[in-house]
Amino acid sequence: MKRFLHLPELGNDEVRELLTLAAELERRPRPQALAGKVLGLLFFNPSLRTLASFQSGMARLGGSSFVISPGQGSWQLETRDDVVMDGAAAEHVREAIPVLAGYADALGIRSFASGTDLRADLADATFQALAEVCPVPLINLESAIDHPCQALGDWKTLDEHQVPTRGGRFVLSWAWHPKALPLAVPAAALHMAAQRGMDVTVLRPDGFALPAEIMARAEALAARNGGQVRETTDRREALEGAHVIYAKSWTSPQHYGAAEEEAALRGGLRSWCVEESWFANAAAECRFMHCLPVRREVVVRGSVLDGPRSIVVREAHNRMWVQMAVLHRLLAAPTPMAEAAEAARSASVVNR
Ligand code: CP
C-alpha cells in the first residue's frame, strides 16, 4: 500500500487485513515498529480526533509526528493554481508540500470542501492537486468528498458490535444542523456500509438527496458485495428493523453554495433531531453512530448519546487503532511474507 486516500480503492481482503492488524495492535503493542519514522500532519481545517489519534498512534508505534496548521503559527498556503499571490498566502502548496515531505516519511492532509462548487468538490479537485505534489506516502485526513479513516474505524466498530454484513440494515440519516456541512462523511459512511455488503437506506428530507455520483458509487459497491442501497424520506419505513442509525447533517446539493436558499430550506427541519422514538420499529439492539463532533439537542438528543445505543466514543477510539494499522502498512519495514502477499495482490489487480 502506497497511499490511503479512499477506502473503496482497497479490496475487501485488504480491508480485512487492516482490521485484523488494527485488532492485533490494540491487543499487543508494537512500540518499536515505526522507530525513527516521522509523520507530517497538514491541517487546513480544525480537528480534535484526527489530530490527536494520529499523533498518539504514531507515538505508540515508536515514531513521531509534527503538525502544521497553515495560518496558525505557520504561513498561510495558497492551493489554487495560476493565481497572483498578492493576498494572505505567503507560500504555495507546490513548494510547501514537497518541503514538508522532505522532513517526513509520510504526510497526512486534511482539506475540506469549498462548499461553493459542487462539481469541483465531487471531483475532490483541491485534494487531488495536493496529492499530485506529494512525493511520499499520503493519508487522506478528510477531503471534500471522503473521510476514509473515519470509514475504516466505523467498519471496525460495526464488526465489534456484531452488526451483520449481509442483511445488516444500515440507515444513514440526515440530521438538522445550524450550518451547511460537507458531503465527505455521509459519502464515506454510505460507501463503507455498501462495501461491507449491508442493506443501506439513505433517509433524508426533500431537497437533501445525495448527488447521483455518490449514490451510483454506493449502488455499485453494494452490488459487488451482496448488499443494496435505497433512499427515502419516510422515517418509519427507513427504520424498520434497522441495526444502525448513522446520523449526519449535510448541505443541500440542490442549493450548493447558495447559502441563503439552503438555510431557508434547512431552517424548517429542526425536527430532524434523533431521539428515542426514532428507534420504535428498529431492531431491539439498534445502535446510534456519529463521527463526532456532535451537537446535543440539535443533531441528537443527549439522552440517546448517554444511553446504551450510542457507540460514538468507541467509533472515535477505533480511529486510532485502524490508523495505526494504516501507518504500519505504509511505513513498517516489510517482512518477506508481507512482500509475497503484496506481490500476489498486485498480480491479482493486474489480472482483473
Ligand atoms: N470525526 C472526525 O474526523 O473528528 P475531527 O474532525 O475532530 O478530527
Side-chain angles (χ1 to χ4, degrees), residues 311-344:
I311 50 177
V312 299
V313 173
R314 185 61 191 161
E315 284 178 83
H317 289 170
N318 275 330
R319 291 284 307 277
M320 184 176 74
W321 304 116
V322 299
Q323 290 160 193
M324 286 169 68
V326 169
L327 290 166
H328 196 283
R329 285 291 310 279
L330 289 173
L331 295 176
T335 62
M337 203 185 287
E339 276 182 338
E342 185 72 36

PDB file of all heavy atoms in Angstrom, residues 311-344:
ATOM      1  N   ILE A 311     -22.657   4.355  20.338  1.00  0.00           N
ATOM      2  CA  ILE A 311     -21.300   3.792  20.285  1.00  0.00           C
ATOM      3  C   ILE A 311     -20.340   4.831  19.684  1.00  0.00           C
ATOM      4  O   ILE A 311     -19.322   4.488  19.098  1.00  0.00           O
ATOM      5  CB  ILE A 311     -21.267   2.450  19.508  1.00  0.00           C
ATOM      6  CG1 ILE A 311     -21.952   2.551  18.152  1.00  0.00           C
ATOM      7  CG2 ILE A 311     -21.934   1.358  20.334  1.00  0.00           C
ATOM      8  CD1 ILE A 311     -21.861   1.255  17.320  1.00  0.00           C
ATOM      9  N   VAL A 312     -20.660   6.104  19.895  1.00  0.00           N
ATOM     10  CA  VAL A 312     -19.876   7.161  19.251  1.00  0.00           C
ATOM     11  C   VAL A 312     -18.458   7.271  19.828  1.00  0.00           C
ATOM     12  O   VAL A 312     -17.511   7.568  19.085  1.00  0.00           O
ATOM     13  CB  VAL A 312     -20.590   8.537  19.323  1.00  0.00           C
ATOM     14  CG1 VAL A 312     -21.924   8.493  18.605  1.00  0.00           C
ATOM     15  CG2 VAL A 312     -20.784   9.001  20.763  1.00  0.00           C
ATOM     16  N   VAL A 313     -18.310   7.023  21.114  1.00  0.00           N
ATOM     17  CA  VAL A 313     -16.960   7.139  21.706  1.00  0.00           C
ATOM     18  C   VAL A 313     -16.081   5.987  21.225  1.00  0.00           C
ATOM     19  O   VAL A 313     -14.898   6.172  20.913  1.00  0.00           O
ATOM     20  CB  VAL A 313     -17.042   7.212  23.246  1.00  0.00           C
ATOM     21  CG1 VAL A 313     -15.655   7.150  23.876  1.00  0.00           C
ATOM     22  CG2 VAL A 313     -17.753   8.497  23.673  1.00  0.00           C
ATOM     23  N   ARG A 314     -16.680   4.806  21.131  1.00  0.00           N
ATOM     24  CA  ARG A 314     -15.906   3.670  20.619  1.00  0.00           C
ATOM     25  C   ARG A 314     -15.489   3.912  19.157  1.00  0.00           C
ATOM     26  O   ARG A 314     -14.378   3.566  18.750  1.00  0.00           O
ATOM     27  CB  ARG A 314     -16.732   2.383  20.752  1.00  0.00           C
ATOM     28  CG  ARG A 314     -15.997   1.136  20.362  1.00  0.00           C
ATOM     29  CD  ARG A 314     -14.755   0.871  21.214  1.00  0.00           C
ATOM     30  NE  ARG A 314     -13.926  -0.193  20.657  1.00  0.00           N
ATOM     31  CZ  ARG A 314     -12.651  -0.401  20.949  1.00  0.00           C
ATOM     32  NH1 ARG A 314     -12.022   0.377  21.815  1.00  0.00           N
ATOM     33  NH2 ARG A 314     -11.986  -1.376  20.405  1.00  0.00           N
ATOM     34  N   GLU A 315     -16.397   4.509  18.373  1.00  0.00           N
ATOM     35  CA  GLU A 315     -16.018   4.866  16.997  1.00  0.00           C
ATOM     36  C   GLU A 315     -14.756   5.732  16.994  1.00  0.00           C
ATOM     37  O   GLU A 315     -13.838   5.507  16.208  1.00  0.00           O
ATOM     38  CB  GLU A 315     -17.119   5.690  16.328  1.00  0.00           C
ATOM     39  CG  GLU A 315     -18.340   4.973  15.854  1.00  0.00           C
ATOM     40  CD  GLU A 315     -19.313   5.990  15.260  1.00  0.00           C
ATOM     41  OE1 GLU A 315     -19.145   6.354  14.075  1.00  0.00           O
ATOM     42  OE2 GLU A 315     -20.223   6.434  15.993  1.00  0.00           O
ATOM     43  N   ALA A 316     -14.757   6.724  17.872  1.00  0.00           N
ATOM     44  CA  ALA A 316     -13.607   7.647  17.916  1.00  0.00           C
ATOM     45  C   ALA A 316     -12.340   6.916  18.366  1.00  0.00           C
ATOM     46  O   ALA A 316     -11.254   7.159  17.831  1.00  0.00           O
ATOM     47  CB  ALA A 316     -13.916   8.813  18.848  1.00  0.00           C
ATOM     48  N   HIS A 317     -12.472   6.015  19.344  1.00  0.00           N
ATOM     49  CA  HIS A 317     -11.287   5.260  19.792  1.00  0.00           C
ATOM     50  C   HIS A 317     -10.763   4.368  18.668  1.00  0.00           C
ATOM     51  O   HIS A 317      -9.550   4.229  18.486  1.00  0.00           O
ATOM     52  CB  HIS A 317     -11.633   4.416  21.023  1.00  0.00           C
ATOM     53  CG  HIS A 317     -11.844   5.245  22.252  1.00  0.00           C
ATOM     54  ND1 HIS A 317     -12.361   4.737  23.417  1.00  0.00           N
ATOM     55  CD2 HIS A 317     -11.605   6.556  22.503  1.00  0.00           C
ATOM     56  CE1 HIS A 317     -12.426   5.704  24.318  1.00  0.00           C
ATOM     57  NE2 HIS A 317     -11.980   6.810  23.783  1.00  0.00           N
ATOM     58  N   ASN A 318     -11.679   3.781  17.916  1.00  0.00           N
ATOM     59  CA  ASN A 318     -11.245   2.889  16.834  1.00  0.00           C
ATOM     60  C   ASN A 318     -10.507   3.621  15.727  1.00  0.00           C
ATOM     61  O   ASN A 318      -9.750   3.003  14.969  1.00  0.00           O
ATOM     62  CB  ASN A 318     -12.441   2.120  16.271  1.00  0.00           C
ATOM     63  CG  ASN A 318     -12.728   0.872  17.082  1.00  0.00           C
ATOM     64  OD1 ASN A 318     -11.812   0.275  17.654  1.00  0.00           O
ATOM     65  ND2 ASN A 318     -13.986   0.470  17.135  1.00  0.00           N
ATOM     66  N   ARG A 319     -10.740   4.933  15.615  1.00  0.00           N
ATOM     67  CA  ARG A 319      -9.956   5.707  14.651  1.00  0.00           C
ATOM     68  C   ARG A 319      -8.458   5.460  14.860  1.00  0.00           C
ATOM     69  O   ARG A 319      -7.702   5.270  13.909  1.00  0.00           O
ATOM     70  CB  ARG A 319     -10.265   7.201  14.816  1.00  0.00           C
ATOM     71  CG  ARG A 319     -11.666   7.630  14.400  1.00  0.00           C
ATOM     72  CD  ARG A 319     -11.781   7.681  12.888  1.00  0.00           C
ATOM     73  NE  ARG A 319     -10.718   8.500  12.307  1.00  0.00           N
ATOM     74  CZ  ARG A 319     -10.758   9.840  12.209  1.00  0.00           C
ATOM     75  NH1 ARG A 319     -11.814  10.499  12.635  1.00  0.00           N
ATOM     76  NH2 ARG A 319      -9.767  10.508  11.647  1.00  0.00           N
ATOM     77  N   MET A 320      -8.045   5.498  16.120  1.00  0.00           N
ATOM     78  CA  MET A 320      -6.609   5.363  16.398  1.00  0.00           C
ATOM     79  C   MET A 320      -6.088   3.989  15.993  1.00  0.00           C
ATOM     80  O   MET A 320      -5.046   3.883  15.341  1.00  0.00           O
ATOM     81  CB  MET A 320      -6.320   5.614  17.876  1.00  0.00           C
ATOM     82  CG  MET A 320      -4.828   5.569  18.181  1.00  0.00           C
ATOM     83  SD  MET A 320      -4.477   5.979  19.875  1.00  0.00           S
ATOM     84  CE  MET A 320      -5.036   4.484  20.692  1.00  0.00           C
ATOM     85  N   TRP A 321      -6.815   2.914  16.341  1.00  0.00           N
ATOM     86  CA  TRP A 321      -6.302   1.567  16.049  1.00  0.00           C
ATOM     87  C   TRP A 321      -6.222   1.318  14.554  1.00  0.00           C
ATOM     88  O   TRP A 321      -5.244   0.733  14.066  1.00  0.00           O
ATOM     89  CB  TRP A 321      -7.170   0.516  16.758  1.00  0.00           C
ATOM     90  CG  TRP A 321      -7.254   0.736  18.239  1.00  0.00           C
ATOM     91  CD1 TRP A 321      -8.367   1.034  18.968  1.00  0.00           C
ATOM     92  CD2 TRP A 321      -6.171   0.709  19.182  1.00  0.00           C
ATOM     93  NE1 TRP A 321      -8.053   1.192  20.288  1.00  0.00           N
ATOM     94  CE2 TRP A 321      -6.707   0.995  20.455  1.00  0.00           C
ATOM     95  CE3 TRP A 321      -4.806   0.484  19.069  1.00  0.00           C
ATOM     96  CZ2 TRP A 321      -5.930   1.053  21.608  1.00  0.00           C
ATOM     97  CZ3 TRP A 321      -4.023   0.545  20.219  1.00  0.00           C
ATOM     98  CH2 TRP A 321      -4.585   0.826  21.466  1.00  0.00           C
ATOM     99  N   VAL A 322      -7.239   1.734  13.820  1.00  0.00           N
ATOM    100  CA  VAL A 322      -7.186   1.471  12.368  1.00  0.00           C
ATOM    101  C   VAL A 322      -6.129   2.349  11.706  1.00  0.00           C
ATOM    102  O   VAL A 322      -5.463   1.919  10.754  1.00  0.00           O
ATOM    103  CB  VAL A 322      -8.570   1.635  11.679  1.00  0.00           C
ATOM    104  CG1 VAL A 322      -9.583   0.658  12.251  1.00  0.00           C
ATOM    105  CG2 VAL A 322      -9.083   3.059  11.728  1.00  0.00           C
ATOM    106  N   GLN A 323      -5.970   3.564  12.180  1.00  0.00           N
ATOM    107  CA  GLN A 323      -4.946   4.435  11.593  1.00  0.00           C
ATOM    108  C   GLN A 323      -3.545   3.899  11.885  1.00  0.00           C
ATOM    109  O   GLN A 323      -2.642   4.017  11.051  1.00  0.00           O
ATOM    110  CB  GLN A 323      -5.110   5.865  12.111  1.00  0.00           C
ATOM    111  CG  GLN A 323      -6.360   6.528  11.556  1.00  0.00           C
ATOM    112  CD  GLN A 323      -6.842   7.720  12.348  1.00  0.00           C
ATOM    113  OE1 GLN A 323      -7.953   8.187  12.139  1.00  0.00           O
ATOM    114  NE2 GLN A 323      -6.034   8.224  13.263  1.00  0.00           N
ATOM    115  N   MET A 324      -3.372   3.291  13.066  1.00  0.00           N
ATOM    116  CA  MET A 324      -2.080   2.656  13.361  1.00  0.00           C
ATOM    117  C   MET A 324      -1.822   1.522  12.378  1.00  0.00           C
ATOM    118  O   MET A 324      -0.685   1.323  11.927  1.00  0.00           O
ATOM    119  CB  MET A 324      -2.062   2.152  14.807  1.00  0.00           C
ATOM    120  CG  MET A 324      -1.915   3.271  15.815  1.00  0.00           C
ATOM    121  SD  MET A 324      -2.215   2.732  17.520  1.00  0.00           S
ATOM    122  CE  MET A 324      -0.814   1.648  17.805  1.00  0.00           C
ATOM    123  N   ALA A 325      -2.875   0.795  12.040  1.00  0.00           N
ATOM    124  CA  ALA A 325      -2.705  -0.277  11.042  1.00  0.00           C
ATOM    125  C   ALA A 325      -2.308   0.308   9.690  1.00  0.00           C
ATOM    126  O   ALA A 325      -1.421  -0.216   9.003  1.00  0.00           O
ATOM    127  CB  ALA A 325      -3.996  -1.096  10.930  1.00  0.00           C
ATOM    128  N   VAL A 326      -2.944   1.402   9.306  1.00  0.00           N
ATOM    129  CA  VAL A 326      -2.602   2.061   8.033  1.00  0.00           C
ATOM    130  C   VAL A 326      -1.148   2.539   8.068  1.00  0.00           C
ATOM    131  O   VAL A 326      -0.372   2.309   7.117  1.00  0.00           O
ATOM    132  CB  VAL A 326      -3.573   3.239   7.762  1.00  0.00           C
ATOM    133  CG1 VAL A 326      -3.084   4.090   6.599  1.00  0.00           C
ATOM    134  CG2 VAL A 326      -4.980   2.718   7.488  1.00  0.00           C
ATOM    135  N   LEU A 327      -0.762   3.187   9.154  1.00  0.00           N
ATOM    136  CA  LEU A 327       0.624   3.680   9.275  1.00  0.00           C
ATOM    137  C   LEU A 327       1.610   2.524   9.206  1.00  0.00           C
ATOM    138  O   LEU A 327       2.668   2.617   8.577  1.00  0.00           O
ATOM    139  CB  LEU A 327       0.790   4.447  10.596  1.00  0.00           C
ATOM    140  CG  LEU A 327       0.078   5.797  10.667  1.00  0.00           C
ATOM    141  CD1 LEU A 327       0.027   6.296  12.113  1.00  0.00           C
ATOM    142  CD2 LEU A 327       0.788   6.824   9.781  1.00  0.00           C
ATOM    143  N   HIS A 328       1.261   1.432   9.866  1.00  0.00           N
ATOM    144  CA  HIS A 328       2.133   0.257   9.868  1.00  0.00           C
ATOM    145  C   HIS A 328       2.312  -0.268   8.443  1.00  0.00           C
ATOM    146  O   HIS A 328       3.433  -0.552   8.008  1.00  0.00           O
ATOM    147  CB  HIS A 328       1.523  -0.812  10.781  1.00  0.00           C
ATOM    148  CG  HIS A 328       2.474  -1.903  11.177  1.00  0.00           C
ATOM    149  ND1 HIS A 328       2.822  -2.927  10.324  1.00  0.00           N
ATOM    150  CD2 HIS A 328       3.167  -2.123  12.325  1.00  0.00           C
ATOM    151  CE1 HIS A 328       3.685  -3.729  10.936  1.00  0.00           C
ATOM    152  NE2 HIS A 328       3.911  -3.267  12.146  1.00  0.00           N
ATOM    153  N   ARG A 329       1.199  -0.358   7.718  1.00  0.00           N
ATOM    154  CA  ARG A 329       1.270  -0.867   6.337  1.00  0.00           C
ATOM    155  C   ARG A 329       2.069   0.077   5.435  1.00  0.00           C
ATOM    156  O   ARG A 329       2.756  -0.355   4.511  1.00  0.00           O
ATOM    157  CB  ARG A 329      -0.140  -1.058   5.761  1.00  0.00           C
ATOM    158  CG  ARG A 329      -0.870  -2.263   6.300  1.00  0.00           C
ATOM    159  CD  ARG A 329      -0.241  -3.583   5.828  1.00  0.00           C
ATOM    160  NE  ARG A 329      -0.040  -3.612   4.390  1.00  0.00           N
ATOM    161  CZ  ARG A 329      -0.985  -3.897   3.493  1.00  0.00           C
ATOM    162  NH1 ARG A 329      -2.197  -4.215   3.898  1.00  0.00           N
ATOM    163  NH2 ARG A 329      -0.738  -3.884   2.199  1.00  0.00           N
ATOM    164  N   LEU A 330       1.967   1.384   5.706  1.00  0.00           N
ATOM    165  CA  LEU A 330       2.665   2.348   4.853  1.00  0.00           C
ATOM    166  C   LEU A 330       4.148   2.432   5.170  1.00  0.00           C
ATOM    167  O   LEU A 330       4.970   2.654   4.272  1.00  0.00           O
ATOM    168  CB  LEU A 330       2.052   3.752   5.014  1.00  0.00           C
ATOM    169  CG  LEU A 330       0.660   3.986   4.435  1.00  0.00           C
ATOM    170  CD1 LEU A 330       0.157   5.371   4.830  1.00  0.00           C
ATOM    171  CD2 LEU A 330       0.684   3.856   2.907  1.00  0.00           C
ATOM    172  N   LEU A 331       4.503   2.258   6.448  1.00  0.00           N
ATOM    173  CA  LEU A 331       5.848   2.664   6.876  1.00  0.00           C
ATOM    174  C   LEU A 331       6.711   1.576   7.494  1.00  0.00           C
ATOM    175  O   LEU A 331       7.935   1.750   7.577  1.00  0.00           O
ATOM    176  CB  LEU A 331       5.737   3.814   7.901  1.00  0.00           C
ATOM    177  CG  LEU A 331       5.150   5.121   7.371  1.00  0.00           C
ATOM    178  CD1 LEU A 331       5.004   6.135   8.493  1.00  0.00           C
ATOM    179  CD2 LEU A 331       6.025   5.675   6.254  1.00  0.00           C
ATOM    180  N   ALA A 332       6.113   0.477   7.972  1.00  0.00           N
ATOM    181  CA  ALA A 332       6.944  -0.541   8.639  1.00  0.00           C
ATOM    182  C   ALA A 332       7.760  -1.297   7.594  1.00  0.00           C
ATOM    183  O   ALA A 332       7.315  -1.488   6.454  1.00  0.00           O
ATOM    184  CB  ALA A 332       6.069  -1.514   9.425  1.00  0.00           C
ATOM    185  N   ALA A 333       8.966  -1.713   7.997  1.00  0.00           N
ATOM    186  CA  ALA A 333       9.809  -2.496   7.092  1.00  0.00           C
ATOM    187  C   ALA A 333       9.058  -3.781   6.753  1.00  0.00           C
ATOM    188  O   ALA A 333       8.614  -4.487   7.662  1.00  0.00           O
ATOM    189  CB  ALA A 333      11.131  -2.811   7.769  1.00  0.00           C
ATOM    190  N   PRO A 334       8.898  -4.099   5.460  1.00  0.00           N
ATOM    191  CA  PRO A 334       8.118  -5.288   5.102  1.00  0.00           C
ATOM    192  C   PRO A 334       8.864  -6.578   5.444  1.00  0.00           C
ATOM    193  O   PRO A 334      10.072  -6.660   5.277  1.00  0.00           O
ATOM    194  CB  PRO A 334       7.932  -5.163   3.591  1.00  0.00           C
ATOM    195  CG  PRO A 334       8.948  -4.196   3.129  1.00  0.00           C
ATOM    196  CD  PRO A 334       9.377  -3.364   4.296  1.00  0.00           C
ATOM    197  N   THR A 335       8.133  -7.565   5.949  1.00  0.00           N
ATOM    198  CA  THR A 335       8.700  -8.891   6.170  1.00  0.00           C
ATOM    199  C   THR A 335       8.624  -9.656   4.843  1.00  0.00           C
ATOM    200  O   THR A 335       7.815  -9.296   3.966  1.00  0.00           O
ATOM    201  CB  THR A 335       7.878  -9.650   7.227  1.00  0.00           C
ATOM    202  OG1 THR A 335       6.547  -9.799   6.717  1.00  0.00           O
ATOM    203  CG2 THR A 335       7.832  -8.905   8.548  1.00  0.00           C
ATOM    204  N   PRO A 336       9.420 -10.718   4.656  1.00  0.00           N
ATOM    205  CA  PRO A 336       9.328 -11.490   3.396  1.00  0.00           C
ATOM    206  C   PRO A 336       7.909 -11.970   3.124  1.00  0.00           C
ATOM    207  O   PRO A 336       7.434 -11.936   1.989  1.00  0.00           O
ATOM    208  CB  PRO A 336      10.282 -12.661   3.641  1.00  0.00           C
ATOM    209  CG  PRO A 336      11.247 -12.162   4.667  1.00  0.00           C
ATOM    210  CD  PRO A 336      10.483 -11.208   5.547  1.00  0.00           C
ATOM    211  N   MET A 337       7.185 -12.381   4.190  1.00  0.00           N
ATOM    212  CA  MET A 337       5.820 -12.889   3.984  1.00  0.00           C
ATOM    213  C   MET A 337       4.896 -11.762   3.497  1.00  0.00           C
ATOM    214  O   MET A 337       4.096 -11.950   2.584  1.00  0.00           O
ATOM    215  CB  MET A 337       5.288 -13.479   5.295  1.00  0.00           C
ATOM    216  CG  MET A 337       4.171 -14.494   5.088  1.00  0.00           C
ATOM    217  SD  MET A 337       3.479 -15.047   6.639  1.00  0.00           S
ATOM    218  CE  MET A 337       4.769 -16.087   7.251  1.00  0.00           C
ATOM    219  N   ALA A 338       5.066 -10.567   4.089  1.00  0.00           N
ATOM    220  CA  ALA A 338       4.233  -9.430   3.679  1.00  0.00           C
ATOM    221  C   ALA A 338       4.548  -9.042   2.241  1.00  0.00           C
ATOM    222  O   ALA A 338       3.656  -8.694   1.470  1.00  0.00           O
ATOM    223  CB  ALA A 338       4.473  -8.252   4.621  1.00  0.00           C
ATOM    224  N   GLU A 339       5.837  -9.114   1.864  1.00  0.00           N
ATOM    225  CA  GLU A 339       6.218  -8.766   0.485  1.00  0.00           C
ATOM    226  C   GLU A 339       5.577  -9.736  -0.511  1.00  0.00           C
ATOM    227  O   GLU A 339       5.093  -9.329  -1.561  1.00  0.00           O
ATOM    228  CB  GLU A 339       7.744  -8.801   0.336  1.00  0.00           C
ATOM    229  CG  GLU A 339       8.381  -7.496   0.790  1.00  0.00           C
ATOM    230  CD  GLU A 339       9.891  -7.480   0.608  1.00  0.00           C
ATOM    231  OE1 GLU A 339      10.493  -8.567   0.541  1.00  0.00           O
ATOM    232  OE2 GLU A 339      10.436  -6.380   0.554  1.00  0.00           O
ATOM    233  N   ALA A 340       5.566 -11.034  -0.146  1.00  0.00           N
ATOM    234  CA  ALA A 340       4.961 -12.036  -1.038  1.00  0.00           C
ATOM    235  C   ALA A 340       3.467 -11.773  -1.185  1.00  0.00           C
ATOM    236  O   ALA A 340       2.913 -11.845  -2.290  1.00  0.00           O
ATOM    237  CB  ALA A 340       5.219 -13.435  -0.489  1.00  0.00           C
ATOM    238  N   ALA A 341       2.801 -11.439  -0.063  1.00  0.00           N
ATOM    239  CA  ALA A 341       1.349 -11.164  -0.106  1.00  0.00           C
ATOM    240  C   ALA A 341       1.071  -9.938  -0.966  1.00  0.00           C
ATOM    241  O   ALA A 341       0.130  -9.914  -1.762  1.00  0.00           O
ATOM    242  CB  ALA A 341       0.817 -10.962   1.314  1.00  0.00           C
ATOM    243  N   GLU A 342       1.931  -8.900  -0.840  1.00  0.00           N
ATOM    244  CA  GLU A 342       1.757  -7.669  -1.626  1.00  0.00           C
ATOM    245  C   GLU A 342       1.930  -7.975  -3.116  1.00  0.00           C
ATOM    246  O   GLU A 342       1.163  -7.503  -3.955  1.00  0.00           O
ATOM    247  CB  GLU A 342       2.780  -6.626  -1.165  1.00  0.00           C
ATOM    248  CG  GLU A 342       2.640  -5.264  -1.811  1.00  0.00           C
ATOM    249  CD  GLU A 342       1.419  -4.497  -1.320  1.00  0.00           C
ATOM    250  OE1 GLU A 342       1.079  -4.614  -0.132  1.00  0.00           O
ATOM    251  OE2 GLU A 342       0.795  -3.811  -2.156  1.00  0.00           O
ATOM    252  N   ALA A 343       2.949  -8.798  -3.441  1.00  0.00           N
ATOM    253  CA  ALA A 343       3.198  -9.159  -4.845  1.00  0.00           C
ATOM    254  C   ALA A 343       2.011  -9.919  -5.413  1.00  0.00           C
ATOM    255  O   ALA A 343       1.569  -9.666  -6.538  1.00  0.00           O
ATOM    256  CB  ALA A 343       4.472  -9.992  -4.943  1.00  0.00           C
ATOM    257  N   ALA A 344       1.442 -10.846  -4.598  1.00  0.00           N
ATOM    258  CA  ALA A 344       0.291 -11.628  -5.069  1.00  0.00           C
ATOM    259  C   ALA A 344      -0.902 -10.716  -5.301  1.00  0.00           C
ATOM    260  O   ALA A 344      -1.636 -10.846  -6.285  1.00  0.00           O
ATOM    261  CB  ALA A 344      -0.055 -12.700  -4.040  1.00  0.00           C
TER     262      ALA A 344
END
